[in-house]
Amino acid sequence: MAAVGTLGRRIARSGVLPLCHRPAWGTAARQPPGPRLPPGLPRAPSRAFSNNKILVELDESSGVATMKFKSPPVNSLSLDFITEFCISLEKLENDRTCRGVIFTSAVPKIFSSGLDITEMCGKSTEHYAEFWRAVQEMWLRLYGSNMVTVAAVNGSSPAGGCLIALTCDYRIMVDNPKFSIGLNEAQLGIVAPFWFKDTFVNVVGHRVAERSLQLGSLHPAAEAHKFGLVDELVPEEKLQEKAAAVMAQWLALPDHARQLTKSMMRKTVLDRLVAHREEDIQNFISFISKESIQKSLRMYMEMLKKKKS
Ligand code: CO8
């Protein structure tokens, strides 16, 4: 898919409603799935839709979808990836049989390497505006989702990858010291915006977030678990089973009560970005366009390439 047009136009072409036209919080409680079938009887079918970068499978009997990132080598969050993400999420949000989504990766050892750095290097002002609006949109849709969202983190998850996990309701990570997670923007010479910071603070608290953000830390799985960045660690082979069990626990509650509680906890942070969205885009453009920042990003990309040789 070519990276052309605004995210709004891209989503409009897909027939998906833009965020501002979605029903208000709590007004569209999801329908619980039908009664459980006795063993042996045919089950409701699973539905799958796949684009280039994300595979979505919806199990209609449980009401749980899995979104699997499949954009090698590192599931970087390019404009195309983010567009697919928003469209897929919106399709599920509008599907009354879907009550929860598990996010995971089909790329071995990587959950997501975060925002695609090439989208932020040597591009036009218009491109930076389109890209940043898409990043905002992805966060607004996911943080404000009515569905239960569980991140099944099966690999490294720096920066924007960590943000996706932080934005979910619950995080389970594979217990592997080689996998790390964190908002490492400072290491790239860039600054995580206020809504990345707000999301992080809401998960781990102010002190831990401040230290981790200032140092641009990437935390090995066990350390991330110790201070609550991830809720649980499991062996790789147990990840799917655990994610399904957590999802079942969250879905056992009445949707309207859980959704209204989620909204109460997240509304202030969501509203802050909505109120300052254009200003945030202009800040991003003027920051990322600075020659000193461009130089830092180029050096970082070179460092990634050199690491191989
Ligand atoms: N964007 C673009 N390309 C990337 C990215 C990325 N985020 N990450 C890796 N790549 C590329 C590499 O350059 C390499 O390319 P090539 O094959 O052409 O040399 C290829 O992907 C494979 O990478 P590695 O060889 O490094 O793969 P490994 O399996 O050894 O390691 C890692 C995987 C751990 C994910 C490693 O690649 C890594 O650490 N990547 C960088 C992750 C990172 O720092 N991301 C930060 C992105 S910024 C962000 O998300 C938030 C920005 C907030 C904006 C604030 C604005 C002001």
Side-chain angles (χ1 to χ4, degrees):
M1 197 198 316
V4 290
T6 65
L7 183 71
R9 280 207 304 278
R10 287 160 169 242
I11 292 177
R13 277 201 300 273
S14 76
V16 168
L17 288 178
L19 187 73
C20 54
H21 295 139
R22 281 169 44 198
W25 273 98
T27 56
R30 294 173 175 281
Q31 290 172 348
R36 288 199 179 280
L37 291 172
L41 284 183
R43 305 192 75 80
S46 285
R47 274 190 285 135
F49 54 94
S50 177
N51 298 306
N52 292 328
K53 297 173 187 301
I54 300 173
L55 171 69
V56 183
E57 285 168 325
L58 171 60
D59 177 352
E60 289 181 337
S61 62
S62 64
V64 178
T66 303
M67 262 173 79
K68 237 180 219 177
F69 307 151
K70 55 167 185 100
S71 182
V74 290
N75 286 333
S76 65
L77 307 176
S78 62
L79 185 55
D80 286 345
F81 184 107
I82 293 171
T83 305
E84 268 191 44
F85 185 99
C86 289
I87 290 171
S88 302
L89 194 64
E90 192 67 17
K91 274 187 187 162
L92 295 174
E93 199 82 53
N94 289 333
D95 184 335
R96 286 182 155 252
T97 61
C98 182
R99 300 171 67 215
V101 191
I102 296 168
F103 299 88
T104 195
S105 168
V107 174
K109 301 184 189 135
I110 312 280
F111 181 68
S112 163
S113 70
L115 299 190
D116 192 316
I117 298 169
T118 62
E119 301 278 12
M120 301 187 282
C121 264
K123 298 282 196 300
S124 66
T125 303
E126 291 72 27
H127 182 84
Y128 293 144
E130 183 181 11
F131 180 61
W132 199 246
R133 189 179 295 283
V135 178
Q136 291 176 332
E137 189 72 21
M138 178 173 74
W139 179 79
L140 286 167
R141 284 173 188 270
L142 187 54
Y143 207 52
S145 174
N146 269 325
M147 299 179 289
V148 175
T149 52
V150 172
V153 182
N154 51 349
S156 290
S157 194
C162 175
L163 182 75
I164 291 181
L166 287 170
T167 305
C168 289
D169 296 317
Y170 199 85
R171 286 152 289 284
I172 307 159
M173 189 165 180
V174 167
D175 191 2
N176 183 334
K178 289 190 179 147
F179 298 166
S180 60
I181 184 165
L183 294 179
N184 62 323
E185 281 78 357
Q187 281 190 37
L188 285 72
I190 56 179
V191 182
F194 69 89
W195 38 286
F196 281 46
K197 178 267 296 172
D198 287 345
T199 315
F200 198 19
V201 167
N202 280 358
V203 172
V204 299
H206 199 280
R207 173 62 191 137
V208 170
E210 180 180 340
R211 189 177 50 197
S212 184
L213 279 170
Q214 284 203 43
L215 294 172
S217 306
L218 284 172
H219 307 280
E223 188 178 295
H225 179 239
K226 208 164 138 194
F227 63 78
L229 201 172
V230 294
D231 297 296
E232 274 186 77
L233 295 182
V234 290
E236 182 129 34
E237 65 277 10
K238 297 271 181 212
L239 184 65
Q240 269 192 14
E241 184 187 324
K242 186 72 205 179
V246 166
M247 188 56 90
Q249 185 193 5
W250 284 61
L251 291 180
L253 278 87
D255 280 339
H256 69 279
R258 183 192 50 73
Q259 288 164 355
L260 288 170
T261 307
K262 182 170 175 176
S263 170
M264 178 176 69
M265 298 302 293
R266 298 188 172 197
K267 191 172 181 309
T268 314
V269 168
L270 283 163
D271 286 351
R272 195 173 305 153
L273 178 59
V274 171
H276 298 284
R277 203 164 169 181
E278 295 309 318
E279 195 185 324
D280 184 57
I281 292 172
Q282 291 313 316
N283 282 343
F284 174 75
I285 294 171
S286 64
F287 185 79
I288 215 72
S289 305
K290 285 188 202 322
E291 188 38 42
S292 58
I293 301 301
Q294 287 289 308
K295 193 171 162 201
S296 292
L297 292 177
R298 283 196 301 269
M299 281 168 59
Y300 190 76
M301 285 300 277
E302 273 163 32
M303 182 275 290
L304 284 179
K305 287 189 195 307
K306 271 193 198 137
K307 189 188 66 173
K308 279 184 178 169
S309 49

